[in-house]
Structures are given as structure tokens and as C-alpha cells.
Amino acid sequence: MTRGLPFALACTALLAVACGGSTSSSAIAAPDDSALATVVDENPDPHTLEVHLDARVATTVFGASPPTAVWSYNGSIPGPLLDLNVGDRLIVHFTNHLPESTTIHWHGVRLPAAMDGTPAMQSPIEPGASFDYDFVVKDPGLFWFHPHMRSDAQVNKGLYGALRVRGANEPASDDEKILVLDDIKIKADGSIPDYLDDTSRMMGRGGNTVLVNGTANATLRVRPNATERWRIVNTANGRFFKLHLPGVALRVVGTDGGPLAHPYDTDALLIAPGERYDVFLRIPDATDTSLVMTTQAYDRGHDSGADPPLDVATVRVEGARVATPATLPAKGAAIDALPTPSQTLPMRLDEKSVATGGFAFTINDVSYPNIPTIDVPLGEMRAIALDNASEMDHPFHLHGFFFQAIARGGVAVPESERVWKDTIIVPMKSTLTLAVRFDAPGTWMYHCHILEHAEGGMMGDIMVH
Ligand code: C2O
Ligand code: CU
Ligand code: CU
């Protein structure tokens, strides 16, 4: 997509009705729940997006609940969409208006470590203080941003937003949406509980309200027979989404680290916290109908498989039919295998109850911040041998690099499943080996993306130098 105006400005001018980034003008007249908030691009250079973001307390209304006090970027949940092309520079003038310190981490973005927003690389941004994030985006895909201090609590309160980076040769679709998924617990009085009970500590804060782009009971408006492209991110603390749209196959064309070589179809798309998926789908050729997208049962441990399916959004088919829809992408560019690492970093993931009450989450029997920092010489390859000894799945996330899964349960991952990831499910009681080239200097964090597990100790640092 070429932009005559900086994209965010164009969106503001159009009042953001269909500014999910539609690649063709759509017949949608009613406001679409799937539209994300926008932010003004203050920089006239078309290759620089320069914005002001702040973190602030705000009030919002979710569905039929009384007003909820939330923490937000620029007053909205999710925060504004940051929309860029590969090679663009992003400058964010950030101010913290929260009552506690925070940072912004740019999940999945390969950037200088000083811009990564982690306690390893940045001092906390205190209440009232500011910090400028400034980096170039190198990779196409959907990324997201969120705090990296008390992240379990801060993300749960609403601090997250999407960052889209378009590549040079994006496949064509008729319409495009970004779906930022969340699941929060809202009490009868509208408030989000601030405490952490044992279940939330064990499973990650689970919700009673599914949000799509900040909206409960969201409606996604689509045209009959259209080829839609949905880029999806799961920002929930605990919930794994397993998306199902009756009668419609989701063609997965990309994930965390960009396009797949071998797109595949699924009718149950599993997305763990932190993960992203890029899917194409053909909308039924039946105007004025509705489909309900659900999240299906999934057992991630501790009897969670018994949780019933939940509605995620209504897909409303309406408006002018698309006569000649874009074709669903069939093949992507090949992904080369990384060389086989000669050294291995073993990481045994586990949980244990502690004498003082609650649980600790451990890597090789120790909890952050007591986990020894791993040293890797700049440019070297390492295998990360994950051994999940616990009774639950852990979505493992590495900052600063994409990795490839090379073996599951000791069996080599076939070429057809080779993808670039930065967050990956390590199923309970299983092993998974990743290959990574540590080609950027600095200290990079790795952790479980169930943020209660990360804050509960399943987190460490890798120093590359
Ligand atoms: Cu999205 Cu260190 O995390
Ligand atoms: Cu990250
Ligand atoms: Cu975990």
C-alpha cells in the first residue's frame, strides 16, 4: 500500500471508520468495532512515523458493564495503531502519567537493545517522566507494545497496542483487519480486580469478558464473498485463544516473524499470549448473515480443557458483494534453516509451591532475578533446549531475535513447518528445541508470556557481547 499522506493522518481525517487498513474502499457504512484508535503523525517524512504516546488512567465502558477504570495508551484500549512500512523509522515521545513507573517494550521488533524497554536495558520511567523511543523497523509483520514493569498487572489493566509493519510484496486482499484479542475480568461494579488470587497466579489472570480491539461482544463487518486478511495478536495474560469460525477455513500465511513458506488451512487457530497469526479467509457469499467466531476448549493444564467455548465476535456479512475476490495466498518465499548450533542452553521450566504461600515459576530450579545471566558472544548460534517439566503449557518468548523450532520431543521439525517465531508454546511435559543466532548486542530477556509466570520467576537475561 502506498500512502499519499502519513497513514495515521489520513485515518484521522477519515475519522477512522474503516481504517483497519483496508486495501480497497469498502462499502461499510456503520462504524466497525474492529477499527483501532489512531494517532497523529507529526513528521512530514513519509518514512518516519513520529508520535506522542502517554500512559494514563482512563475510563471506558465494556459492553453492558458499568464504567471501568483502565490504564491506557492515549486514552484508548488498545492504544493507537502504529502503522509502518519496512525500513521506516518510528519515533515515540512517551510520557508516563500513571501513578507508578513503567516502560514500553516492542514485542517482536528487532531493534537496538537500548530501545527494548526492559529493566535489563532501561531505567524505569517514573510517574511524570518521559522517554523517547526511536528505531527503524526491519521486518514485516504484526508486533505489539506493552509495559515491561509489573507487566502482569499493567497489561491486564489495558496497556497494549498493535504495531503493523508492511513488507514490499504483501499479498492482496479485499479488506484487512487487525484483531487485538484480550480477556479481562470485570467485576459487577465495573472494576478490574487488582489482587492476584491463587488461580490467576497459577493460570495467568483469566477473564470473564473477551475483548476484540477493546470491545466486548464485538461485531466485525465484512462484505459477502470478500477475501479478508486478519492479523491477530493475543494480548491476554492467561487465555489461549483457539479461534473457530463455523464453515470458514482460516488460511495461515504468517506468524510472529513474518510470512510462512507453506500456508496452511485450519478451523481451530490456537494463539497463546504474545503470539501473532496472519490469516486469509473467504467470507461466505451470503449477505445479511452473521457468523459467530468462538474460542474453543483447549487444555493447557490444570483442568483448563473443561472451560467451555466462548463467543469472541460476531462476523456480520453485509454491504456490496465482492464479485472477484482476491485469491488466497498459496505459497510464500522459502525459509532457510539456521545452521545447527554447536552449543546448547538447557532450560527446564517448572512450577513449585513455596512455603510462604503461592507458587514459584522456575527455570533450572531458580526464579528471576536469581537466574544466572547467560553470556553469548556476538554472532554465535545457540540451541535453547526447553524442557517443560510442569503440568501446564508455557508460551516461551525471546526478545530481540526470531528463532526456529528445530525439534519437538527429540524429533526434527520438518521443513514444511519451518517458521520464524519469537513466542512459542512449550506444551506441558514436553521438550522443544529452538535455534537462535544472537546477532545483536545487549541484554535480552526471555520469559514465559503468561505474565504472572514471568513476574513469578520464569524469566531471565541473555547478554550478547
Ligand atoms: Cu511481550 Cu518480554 O514481552
Ligand atoms: Cu517481547
Ligand atoms: Cu508460563
Side-chain angles (χ1 to χ4, degrees):
M1 168 173 166
T2 49
R3 353 174 243 192
L5 274 173
F7 188 72
L9 267 184
C11 275
T12 312
L14 295 171
L15 285 174
V17 169
C19 273
S22 305
T23 49
S24 63
S25 63
S26 94
I28 292 164
D32 189 334
D33 289 349
S34 66
L36 290 164
T38 57
V39 61
V40 173
D41 182 357
E42 298 157 13
N43 196 305
D45 177 349
H47 300 293
T48 301
L49 175 62
E50 181 169 5
V51 302
H52 274 81
L53 279 190
D54 67 5
R56 66 173 94 136
V57 179
T59 301
T60 189
V61 174
F62 295 115
S65 295
T68 302
V70 296
W71 288 10
S72 72
Y73 292 118
N74 289 14
S76 67
I77 294 182
L81 171 64
L82 302 179
D83 211 4
L84 299 121
N85 291 312
V86 166
D88 286 356
R89 178 178 173 192
L90 174 64
I91 303 170
V92 174
H93 304 290
F94 174 69
T95 303
N96 178 14
H97 292 304
L98 301 173
E100 67 182 47
S101 51
T102 192
T103 60
I104 304 182
H105 166 59
W106 308 92
H107 182 126
V109 179
R110 296 191 302 142
L111 38 57
M115 295 290 128
D116 198 40
T118 62
M121 292 301 301
Q122 173 174 20
S123 332
I125 305 167
E126 300 297 340
S130 296
F131 184 86
D132 289 345
Y133 291 95
D134 185 345
F135 52 87
V136 169
V137 291
K138 300 192 278 196
D139 304 296
L142 181 67
F143 305 95
W144 64 297
F145 52 99
H146 63 76
H148 227 284
M149 295 196 58
R150 283 220 314 138
S151 57
D152 60 330
Q154 294 195 3
V155 174
N156 185 58
K157 285 170 184 283
L159 289 170
Y160 56 82
L163 188 161
R164 173 173 54 192
V165 183
R166 291 180 193 279
N169 299 304
E170 296 280 337
S173 61
D174 299 308
D175 294 298
E176 186 172 336
K177 296 182 191 307
I178 292 174
L179 306 185
V180 182
L181 305 181
D182 194 6
D183 168 45
I184 58 169
K185 182 168 291 168
I186 304 174
K187 295 199 292 184
D189 66 0
S191 65
I192 297 173
D194 212 5
Y195 62 90
L196 197 51
D197 60 20
D198 271 1
T199 307
S200 318
R201 195 172 273 123
M202 174 58 85
M203 301 305 289
R205 285 173 175 80
N208 54 10
T209 308
V210 170
L211 303 179
V212 179
N213 297 350
T215 302
N217 310 315
T219 298
L220 308 174
R221 292 174 200 282
V222 296
R223 295 184 289 162
N225 208 35
T227 295
E228 287 267 334
R229 179 184 193 172
W230 294 354
R231 301 180 195 244
I232 309 169
V233 53
N234 181 359
T235 68
N237 286 49
R239 181 174 297 282
F240 286 42
F241 284 90
K242 191 173 176 184
L243 296 179
H244 172 71
L245 190 56
V248 180
L250 303 176
R251 172 145 320 164
V252 181
V253 304
T255 181
D256 309 347
L260 303 187
H262 304 286
Y264 60 91
D265 286 351
T266 181
D267 63 1
L269 180 66
L270 181 63
I271 315 178
E275 285 190 301
R276 286 89 66 212
Y277 281 93
D278 188 352
V279 302
F280 277 64
L281 55 148
R282 177 70 47 76
I283 301 301
D285 195 358
T287 197
D288 296 323
T289 54
S290 293
L291 303 173
V292 177
M293 182 160 67
T294 54
T295 179
Q296 307 264 291
Y298 173 71
D299 184 8
R300 62 184 178 96
H302 296 297
D303 302 323
S304 54
D307 295 349
L310 277 182
D311 291 356
V312 172
T314 300
V315 177
R316 178 70 190 157
V317 184
E318 61 183 26
R321 169 175 192 270
V322 176
T324 44
T327 46
L328 303 181
K331 208 163 167 41
I335 296 173
D336 291 334
L338 287 168
T340 308
S342 54
Q343 290 188 40
T344 297
L345 307 171
M347 295 189 188
R348 206 171 64 90
L349 312 178
D350 210 350
E351 67 203 33
K352 59 181 183 207
S353 22
V354 291
T356 48
F359 319 93
F361 291 91
T362 57
I363 300 175
N364 300 335
D365 296 319
V366 221
S367 289
Y368 185 83
N370 299 321
I371 297 176
T373 296
I374 296 167
D375 270 287
V376 179
L378 181 61
E380 288 201 1
M381 296 278 315
R382 288 290 181 274
I384 298 179
L386 296 160
D387 173 4
N388 184 353
S390 74
E391 304 278 348
M392 60 198 304
D393 292 9
H394 296 289
F396 177 87
H397 172 48
L398 173 67
H399 287 213
F401 310 91
F402 296 120
F403 51 72
Q404 292 177 357
I406 54 174
R408 293 179 196 276
V411 177
V413 172
E415 183 276 338
S416 59
E417 293 171 25
R418 188 182 299 147
V419 296
W420 292 108
K421 295 282 287 169
D422 56 56
T423 308
I424 194 166
I425 298 171
V426 193
M428 60 186 117
K429 298 289 180 196
S430 77
T431 63
L432 172 65
T433 305
L434 313 176
V436 197
R437 187 194 302 280
F438 287 97
D439 55 3
T443 299
W444 303 98
M445 303 200 83
Y446 61 92
H447 56 87
C448 177
H449 219 287
I450 294 174
L451 296 170
E452 290 74 8
H453 296 181
E455 299 290 339
M458 197 175 277
M459 177 156 74
D461 292 321
I462 297 178
M463 193 197 284
V464 181
H465 58 124

